[in-house]
Amino acid sequence: MASLTTLSKEDLEDLHSSLWNTYKQEQTKDLHLNMSRGKPSAEQLDLSMELLQFPKSYTLADGTDARNYGVLQGIGECRRLFGDLLDIPADQIIMGGNASLNLMFDTLAFLLLFGTEGKKPWADERAQGRPVKFLCPVPGYDRHFTICEELGVEMIPVPLLSDGPDMDLVTRLVKEDEQIKGIWCVPLHSNPQGVCYSDKTVDTLASMTTAADDFRIFWDNAYGVHHIYEEVPLKNILKACEKAGYPNRCYYFFSTSKITFPGAGVSLIASSPDNVKELLGHMSAQTISHDKLNQLRHVQFFGTSENIHNHMTKLAALLKPKFDIVLQKLQDGLGASPPVASWSHPKGGYFVSLNVFPGCAKRTVALAKEAGVTLTGAGASYPYGKDPKDSNIRIAPSYPSVGELSQAMDILILCVKLAYIENKLGIQPK
């Protein structure tokens, strides 16, 4: 297969005509294929149906009736289960509701409203003309960026490299600017590239000198047990921060949204004892407790952290064929050298990150939509939706069936080629 980059203008024009005819045929099929978000498939959700039969008993180990009020921090059984899974002491965990995103939003809002460790609320600084800033590794998770945008936190993009954020840049920025108050991190199988943070990156984040003495790491370990091709270890950020002398630096988030039922799972935030005490103080004004029955259901369904790992092995067996399809289709369709696109080869998680020729992402996504394939909007993986190269596209393989996914990838690759040729020839969109 010849690379598009090697073709003459005349050859590109002929190829565009042929590809456009194929594209018009695809449009007549009235397809409705969705790869826009990392939704679990029905087959994945079926693995957790037994969860709905629990709880079998409502009495906790300490005698508490889980059907009643109380236990703001979350039931001990659930904190111990996930503490064992994540190597975090149970007393440093707060169980939340059905979404870790909720905990992230609230935690950032608490810092803006109340500050931390007796220091000024971050919003007070903003009111005095000193903006609150967060570092955002890119490409990254659009919902993190939405939280910042909603709460008026200025976002500074930093490149995400093969072993984590560009730490030379991060360490320089946080040392120079006291208004940089935090950084978002998805440390395992990141969204969308599948990057896994190295031990060196974790240690540097934990120990780096920051101008802001209330700097915080928002550690969203959303895919911490979502291994598909290879299990990747992750150094414990909470222990690293404690060892470095900054025990309060990190907030650690986790949920079962892509383990059991999205929207009906459990979430948690973990941090230092001081931070946990502070967070519980704020939360006590919000709620009496989160859903203890759901926490208990998860405890009785899984029983042990080993059973969670076994459950994830079953999920990986369902996801692997879909990731195989995406990666093989990309190789077969766009793998000629020199390439017109590049893509990630994740070891786990939920996404494949596709980088098309600069200036072509928005056009590719628009073409795909008009042919019946819905993708996450181009630019979503960057703060404010602004991809400076207009290049990155997130592929979410989990939800479609194998047949639908194969069909959708064929259309996506067709659209990548059309967008590239249009760009090179200066063809205006039809």
Side-chain angles (χ1 to χ4, degrees):
M1 179 179 62
S3 170
L4 297 183
T5 62
T6 65
L7 299 182
S8 66
K9 179 180 178 182
E10 291 74 18
D11 287 340
L12 285 175
E13 288 172 343
D14 290 343
L15 180 58
H16 183 270
S17 178
S18 173
L19 293 176
W20 188 256
N21 287 334
T22 302
Y23 177 77
K24 297 304 287 186
Q25 292 171 13
E26 294 293 341
Q27 282 187 307
T28 65
K29 296 177 181 179
D30 193 30
L31 299 174
H32 300 280
L33 306 174
N34 195 319
M35 294 194 295
S36 62
R37 300 218 71 87
K39 293 173 60 176
S41 66
E43 292 78 13
Q44 290 175 249
L45 300 176
D46 286 344
L47 295 177
S48 298
M49 288 304 293
E50 189 181 348
L51 182 69
L52 301 181
Q53 300 176 22
F54 292 102
K56 300 295 187 183
S57 167
Y58 307 106
T59 304
L60 305 181
D62 63 2
T64 299
D65 187 336
R67 297 171 299 179
N68 218 322
Y69 286 123
V71 196
L72 176 61
Q73 190 168 349
I75 66 173
E77 290 92 330
C78 200
R79 290 187 284 112
R80 287 189 290 273
L81 172 65
F82 288 103
D84 185 53
L85 178 72
L86 303 172
D87 189 25
I88 300 172
D91 60 2
Q92 289 181 229
I93 292 174
I94 302 171
M95 299 306 304
N98 66 341
S100 56
L101 193 67
N102 201 164
L103 291 171
M104 296 174 215
F105 185 99
D106 282 352
T107 302
L108 186 50
F110 290 156
L111 291 165
L112 287 164
L113 288 170
F114 307 114
T116 184
E117 299 182 271
K119 299 178 180 66
K120 282 185 178 181
W122 291 358
D124 285 4
E125 297 186 44
R126 187 169 60 194
Q128 295 169 6
R130 299 194 299 274
V132 176
K133 305 175 186 177
F134 255 59
L135 299 182
C136 299
V138 293
Y141 183 29
D142 54 330
R143 292 195 180 273
H144 291 163
F145 307 152
T146 300
I147 290 175
C148 282
E149 207 165 353
E150 177 70 12
L151 295 175
V153 174
E154 182 180 321
M155 293 177 277
I156 302 173
V158 295
L160 188 61
L161 307 180
S162 61
D163 61 349
D166 181 341
M167 291 310 300
D168 289 339
L169 178 59
V170 169
T171 53
R172 177 173 64 80
L173 290 174
V174 298
K175 188 175 183 179
E176 292 175 350
D177 190 348
E178 65 180 356
Q179 295 312 122
I180 296 177
K181 296 290 191 176
I183 184 171
W184 289 104
C185 294
V186 182
L188 271 185
H189 311 304
S190 71
N191 177 355
Q193 288 178 296
V195 169
C196 299
Y197 287 20
S198 67
D199 289 357
K200 182 180 179 181
T201 295
V202 174
D203 283 336
T204 304
L205 284 165
S207 63
M208 62 188 180
T209 300
T210 63
D213 55 7
D214 50 359
F215 179 88
R216 292 293 183 263
I217 299 169
F218 276 50
W219 194 256
D220 182 7
N221 198 16
Y223 313 104
V225 292
H226 298 68
H227 312 296
I228 298 175
Y229 293 102
E230 179 182 338
E231 185 168 346
V232 182
L234 176 66
K235 189 162 188 177
N236 190 309
I237 184 67
L238 295 178
K239 290 182 178 179
C241 287
E242 184 176 8
K243 182 179 179 181
Y246 302 105
N248 298 335
R249 174 168 284 184
C250 181
Y251 298 112
Y252 186 126
F253 304 92
F254 186 82
S255 82
T256 65
S257 289
K258 291 180 173 63
I259 297 176
T260 55
F261 297 130
V266 294
S267 65
L268 66 84
I269 179 172
S271 196
S272 67
D274 286 345
N275 282 351
V276 166
K277 181 180 179 181
E278 188 174 79
L279 288 166
L280 287 172
H282 299 316
M283 289 179 178
S284 66
Q286 277 186 324
T287 184
I288 303 300
S289 67
H290 293 288
D291 188 342
K292 296 186 296 299
L293 293 178
N294 199 24
Q295 295 170 29
L296 189 55
R297 274 193 290 269
H298 280 73
V299 169
Q300 293 179 2
F301 176 61
F302 285 120
T304 66
S305 60
E306 182 181 1
N307 288 337
I308 296 178
H309 286 297
N310 293 337
H311 181 84
M312 297 310 297
T313 299
K314 296 175 184 177
L315 288 179
L318 294 173
L319 286 169
K320 184 178 180 296
K322 297 183 178 183
F323 277 78
D324 287 345
I325 287 171
V326 170
L327 296 172
Q328 191 62 55
K329 289 281 187 182
L330 289 171
Q331 180 60 39
D332 292 345
L334 301 172
S337 182
V340 298
S342 62
W343 51 92
S344 62
H345 292 78
K347 297 174 181 177
Y350 257 67
F351 306 98
V352 175
S353 181
L354 172 64
N355 288 311
V356 298
F357 192 78
C360 294
K362 288 182 180 178
R363 178 58 176 159
T364 299
V365 170
L367 283 166
K369 185 175 183 179
E370 291 168 10
V373 176
T374 302
L375 299 160
T376 304
S381 53
Y382 285 78
Y384 311 107
K386 297 178 180 178
D387 177 356
K389 294 183 179 180
D390 185 26
S391 174
N392 187 252
I393 298 172
R394 186 178 75 178
I395 301 174
S398 58
Y399 186 70
S401 68
V402 167
E404 290 172 337
L405 182 62
S406 180
Q407 195 172 18
M409 286 303 301
D410 287 339
I411 293 172
L412 173 58
I413 290 165
L414 173 63
C415 295
V416 171
K417 293 178 178 179
L418 282 170
Y420 171 81
I421 296 173
E422 290 177 358
N423 181 283
K424 297 303 288 185
L425 296 179
I427 298 173
Q428 295 302 311
K430 298 181 181 180

